[in-house]
Amino acid sequence: MQHSREGLLSVHGAVLIFSFTALFSKLIPLPALEITIYRSMFAFVALAIYIAYKKQSYKLVSPSDYLIAGVLGVLLAAHWVSYFYAMQVSSVAVGVIALYTYPVITVFLEPFFHGERPHIVDIISSLAVLFGIYLIVPDFSLDNSVTIGVISGVSSAFMMALRNIMQRRYFSAYAASHALFYQTFVVALVLYFFSDTAVASIAESQWWLLLLLGVAFTALPHTLFANALLHLKAKTVSLIACVQVVYAAIFAAVILGEWLTWNVVAGGLIVLSAAMYESLPKKKS
């Protein structure tokens, strides 16, 4: 009972923090790429201190693991940048809803790693998600900001699903803190070469927000999420994580004044229902 309570507190805390993280896409007046670079830098330092505090080794077991960590880092970079960009060009709610297409995307990607075919119910879930996205997008034109936001958000979901699958398959021997330690380093390193914003042009208030985002809203929630997985089933954690959509929409409405329209609510409910269904335990045939 104690383990379950600790796991529930950890996952709800992580989801609540992750939900507020979305607001930084609007609160920090910097491009998504720049936010991701400095977010990763601060998270990397925080995780390095945490691993040292735990007296754990920084080294990986085999040379091939460093290559895998590099690939995972590139996927995480693409996921974070496209996610924040989605919310910047549209709204927080649209970006988060588009991101939660990842459970359905996951069930289509996993068969490529296991040599299986998607089940008919998974195909139905994907069709439901497509209909939900159709309701959200008012005009299928690249001139429409919501359309761009949805495309970017779904792209972010694809990168997230692919990273999760690869990390579970090839990097599961390592703790989440180690995995994120190397991945945040790769994110900052890779994106630095695409940066065109001078450090001197970043205001002091923005530095404090970036520090807060990197430590309290990146390193901390990922650690809590990993702790939850030690005490609860992965399916349970995934189901609770779906509440992030609701939290983020409420925060965006109250703090940013981004109130939901009926089509976003209807589409979001459909996407969220499909995500929750795909997170439910399935009976093995």
Side-chain angles (χ1 to χ4, degrees), residues 5-6 12 29 63-64 85 101 103 161 171 195 198 209 214 221 244 275:
R5 186 180 296 111
E6 181 178 344
H12 278 289
S64 61
Y85 180 74
T101 59
F171 216 72
S195 173
L209 286 174
Q244 180 182 341

Side-chain angles (χ1 to χ4, degrees), residues 32 87 259:
M87 292 182 289
W259 298 97

Side-chain angles (χ1 to χ4, degrees), residues 248-259:
I250 293 174
F251 289 152
V254 174
I255 298 175
L256 303 177
E258 291 184 352
W259 298 97

Side-chain angles (χ1 to χ4, degrees), residues 173-211:
Y174 298 98
S177 56
H178 277 75
L180 195 62
F181 169 75
Y182 279 97
Q183 289 172 44
T184 49
F185 172 75
V186 173
V187 170
L189 182 65
V190 170
L191 294 183
Y192 178 78
F193 293 101
F194 297 94
S195 173
D196 58 0
T197 300
V199 174
S201 65
I202 301 177
E204 182 180 348
S205 60
Q206 294 172 2
W207 279 117
W208 283 111
L209 286 174
L210 289 167
L211 175 63

